Amino acid sequence: MGATDFRAAAQSRTRTGQGRVMAVRKLVLAAALSLALAGTAVANDGIGSVSAGGILFGKTDAVAMKKEVLSVSTDLIKVEYEFLNESAKDVEETIFFPLPEYAAGYHGSPTYYGQPQQFTVDVDGKRKDYKTTFVAKLDSNDVTARLRQLGLSDAQIAYFPSHTPFDRKVAPLTAAQSKIMIGEGLLAQLYDEEWVPAWTVKVIYLWQQKFPAGKVVRVRHQYAPFVAAGPGASYLGDGNAFEKKYCGDQAFYKTWNRLAAKQGESGFVNAVWVSYILTTGNTWKNGIEDFTLNLIKGKPDELISLCFPGTFTKINPTTLQVKLRNFHPKQDLDVYFGNVEGTVSHDGVAPQIRP
């Protein structure tokens, strides 16, 4: 395919996510800054339930996702669903929309924390209210209950007092809290001086949704995505990691190198990464029966590269589209937008926890 398009591929890869800080280890600047270069994502709606142990993702045998149209650009993500309850009885489910994990203790970039801007949910054309919760994890362990047991507020768990990127005051930890948390590995040392949280935070939107028997329910989300932008996003490294995640073809690399050469020694190609979690679509009855992905450029000569099954079609100078039937996503979506104009910045906003 042309370098301004992409190579579609269904190969597996390891996602780049928010790094974890090891318990009672020194959090060095290099490690912290590496978080700023990691891609972030939001997800398809999923079926689940709430238990004493937290949120459990499940699968429905009654409600089918008949259609999904996902439109992705550097400025906006819009997703439109059509669900059908194929059973003989009305069904009410807890719907989850999980956000990416972010490090609670240090933020090397303003784009990897909290909640995305301008997130909305509409059901059958009407605005839907939703609740917000979160989970704090140390490695793979849920430490939310323990942090609350130690007296931390939601704000103290969701973003750290001294390094919060948000314009709001957060009470500092007490000396007694800090001593216990250091002993339990809940805090890690920054710059050989300060102790900061070692946990990550995942914010989750949820709401109750009724699916009447035999009736189509239409759900729509729209929001400004988290993005990774700047020199870190533009650097392709030795090509191996990029190839694994974005499947660049020869035409892509040829065009990228030509653009980089124009920048002289800097070799800078302005780029943005946008990610989206697709695999939660498998929680519906038959996966995604009718799936459409639209990739929307800001200008016709932008580069796009990604790993994805199917054959894409250019439907206009700035939109590439693929359609799949009976789609059961095996991996999530990572899209590289290169040769973009200006600086794209969609900062996160402070989590508004609404239990």
Side-chain angles (χ1 to χ4, degrees):
M1 291 190 175
T4 54
D5 295 337
F6 51 85
R7 190 184 76 197
Q11 63 190 62
S12 62
R13 65 193 188 283
T14 302
R15 290 188 54 78
T16 300
Q18 300 295 78
R20 296 188 183 92
V21 182
M22 298 302 293
V24 200
R25 295 284 202 289
K26 294 177 181 177
L27 180 61
V28 297
L29 179 61
L33 290 180
S34 71
L35 300 179
L37 305 181
T40 59
V42 281
N44 264 346
D45 286 355
I47 289 288
S49 62
V50 179
S51 71
I55 295 169
L56 302 175
F57 286 91
K59 183 175 177 64
T60 177
D61 293 324
V63 182
M65 185 189 291
K66 306 300 289 186
K67 185 175 183 179
E68 175 182 355
V69 178
L70 172 62
S71 299
V72 177
S73 71
T74 61
D75 295 315
L76 181 71
I77 286 182
K78 181 172 67 174
V79 56
E80 299 170 283
Y81 306 104
E82 291 184 4
F83 298 108
L84 176 63
N85 177 2
E86 297 181 337
S87 72
K89 298 181 179 179
D90 292 353
V91 172
E92 186 166 333
E93 298 281 7
T94 300
I95 309 301
F96 292 98
F97 190 91
L99 299 173
E101 289 186 26
Y102 62 90
Y106 182 86
H107 304 281
S109 165
T111 59
Y112 302 111
Y113 55 77
Q115 303 174 222
Q117 297 179 20
Q118 306 165 16
F119 181 85
T120 59
V121 182
D122 293 282
V123 178
D124 291 331
K126 296 181 180 179
R127 188 58 44 89
K128 180 79 172 182
D129 194 19
Y130 56 89
K131 298 178 181 179
T132 307
T133 186
F134 67 84
V135 176
K137 287 191 174 182
L138 182 65
D139 295 327
S140 59
N141 299 315
D142 186 340
V143 294
T144 316
R146 177 56 178 157
L147 294 173
R148 286 182 171 139
Q149 186 181 45
L150 290 171
L152 274 68
S153 67
D154 285 350
Q156 288 175 311
I157 298 173
Y159 44 95
F160 189 61
S162 64
H163 285 85
T164 174
F166 307 116
D167 295 328
R168 58 177 61 190
K169 299 284 186 180
V170 182
L173 304 178
T174 67
Q177 286 174 324
S178 296
K179 182 178 180 179
I180 294 172
M181 293 168 69
I182 290 172
E184 295 183 6
L186 292 166
L187 296 181
Q189 198 169 15
L190 179 67
Y191 305 133
D192 294 328
E193 341 180 308
E194 186 173 4
W195 291 88
V196 299
W199 63 84
T200 59
V201 178
K202 179 185 284 291
V203 176
I204 301 169
Y205 299 144
L206 66 156
W207 63 93
Q208 292 299 115
Q209 182 62 53
K210 185 175 181 179
F211 297 93
K215 182 179 178 181
V216 172
V217 175
R218 294 176 174 85
V219 177
R220 168 177 158 168
H221 304 309
Q222 182 170 304
Y223 51 92
F226 294 115
V227 299
S234 300
Y235 179 59
L236 301 187
D238 60 8
N240 292 332
F242 185 92
E243 173 64 21
K244 188 174 184 179
K245 189 170 185 178
Y246 296 107
C247 296
D249 61 10
Q250 290 184 355
F252 169 85
Y253 287 117
K254 182 178 179 180
T255 302
W256 192 96
N257 288 329
R258 175 175 55 80
L259 293 170
K262 290 183 179 180
Q263 304 302 318
E265 293 183 1
S266 67
F268 180 85
V269 176
N270 202 31
V272 168
W273 306 340
V274 178
S275 299
Y276 188 87
I277 299 172
L278 279 172
T279 50
T280 45
N282 292 321
T283 62
W284 301 93
K285 183 179 179 181
N286 300 314
I288 308 171
E289 295 186 18
D290 182 351
F291 178 76
T292 299
L293 171 62
N294 296 312
L295 300 176
I296 303 172
K297 306 177 184 182
K299 57 179 182 177
D301 61 349
E302 279 184 6
L303 292 168
I304 294 183
S305 191
L306 75 159
C307 301
F308 202 76
T311 301
F312 285 75
T313 302
K314 184 181 292 185
I315 61 173
N316 62 49
T318 58
T319 304
L320 303 169
Q321 184 181 87
V322 65
K323 292 179 176 288
L324 298 172
R325 297 289 299 180
N326 300 316
F327 183 38
H328 296 267
K330 295 181 180 179
Q331 61 189 40
D332 297 318
L333 182 69
D334 293 293
V335 186
Y336 173 95
F337 291 88
N339 196 31
V340 299
E341 288 187 352
T343 301
V344 178
S345 178
H346 300 309
D347 298 351
V349 296
Q352 301 293 317
I353 307 303
R354 297 181 290 176

